[in-house]
Amino acid sequence: ALSSWAHISTVGADNRPDVVPVHPCWEGDTLWLMIGMTSVKANNVRHNPHVALHWQVTEKGDGGEMWGTASLHDDLETKRRLWTGVFDYDLNMFAPGGADNSPGTGCMRVDIYRALHLPMYGMGGRFEWHAGSRFHDTSTSFFCARCAPCWARCAHVIVFDSRRFDERHPGAADDCGADDDPEHRRHR
């Protein structure tokens, strides 16, 4: 699996990019970040909601990128829900007042519309997903009909958390199990 840390790129009112490390967490297909509501990230998203994220490359050279539309949320209901059930680290380390008593602290929601997985620095293929489509190998413009539904259902899990993918699809980490299918292509 890739690192739990990523870098997010936002664009400010000066039309210049800003890149910072973040620790995003998933709630279903939605990506969330804890933010300061007056931070550079938040101010940039108010100007331009389109963001890009890049996950650190693994020792094997696997990397991932995602693009999405961000929105800012500092309402108490959202903060309470995310504070205790979504983030995999203690938000109180950064906002000791908790969800109820941390004014100026909020969350950024990122709705992903494009994802790219480049195994082995891209030498292992180029797997791309767009909202409303299936993950597919764009390096050959061919994808296994038997594997594509798994890629579509688990886009962020496949790219960013292979352990969770393996639990949902036993035996699929290195091979989807369709070796006897002449159209099958190894995709990890």
Side-chain angles (χ1 to χ4, degrees):
L2 297 179
S3 170
S4 56
W5 288 93
H7 285 84
I8 188 168
S9 177
T10 58
V11 176
D14 60 1
N15 289 319
R16 294 179 186 261
D18 183 64
V19 178
V20 294
V22 292
H23 185 144
C25 293
W26 290 99
E27 181 183 45
D29 292 333
T30 302
L31 193 67
W32 288 96
L33 312 170
M34 178 187 189
I35 60 163
M37 294 302 288
T38 59
S39 67
V40 172
K41 289 186 296 285
N43 290 334
N44 286 355
V45 164
R46 286 184 189 96
H47 167 73
N48 181 343
H50 297 282
V51 300
L53 293 114
H54 177 265
W55 272 258
Q56 280 81 339
V57 177
T58 66
E59 290 178 15
K60 295 188 314 185
D62 295 347
E65 298 175 48
M66 288 192 176
W67 293 262
T69 304
S71 55
L72 306 176
H73 303 267
D74 64 353
D75 60 284
L76 200 49
E77 181 182 334
T78 301
K79 285 171 61 172
R80 283 178 180 159
R81 186 183 84 248
L82 298 176
W83 212 274
T84 58
V86 172
F87 287 93
D88 60 0
Y89 60 95
D90 184 4
L91 300 182
N92 294 311
M93 293 186 317
F94 303 97
D100 291 355
N101 296 306
S102 294
T105 300
C107 298
M108 180 186 296
R109 174 187 174 132
V110 181
D111 294 302
I112 304 300
Y113 55 77
R114 180 178 170 217
L116 177 64
H117 177 215
L118 298 170
M120 295 175 47
Y121 303 101
M123 294 181 295
R126 178 185 172 97
F127 300 95
E128 192 164 346
W129 172 85
H130 293 267
S133 70
R134 301 191 234 189
F135 239 109
H136 62 282
D137 179 345
T138 57
S139 63
T140 62
S141 70
F142 169 83
F143 58 91
C144 170
R146 240 165 140 181
C147 301
C150 292
W151 285 84
R153 281 193 309 273
C154 304
H156 72 271
V157 174
I158 290 169
V159 175
F160 299 103
D161 191 345
S162 60
R163 182 187 51 77
R164 284 180 39 209
F165 177 75
D166 294 344
E167 289 170 4
R168 290 183 184 182
H169 306 279
D174 296 316
D175 188 331
C176 75
D179 285 330
D180 56 342
D181 184 337
E183 292 184 299
H184 174 254
R185 171 173 150 63
R186 196 175 207 108
H187 57 77
R188 285 190 51 101

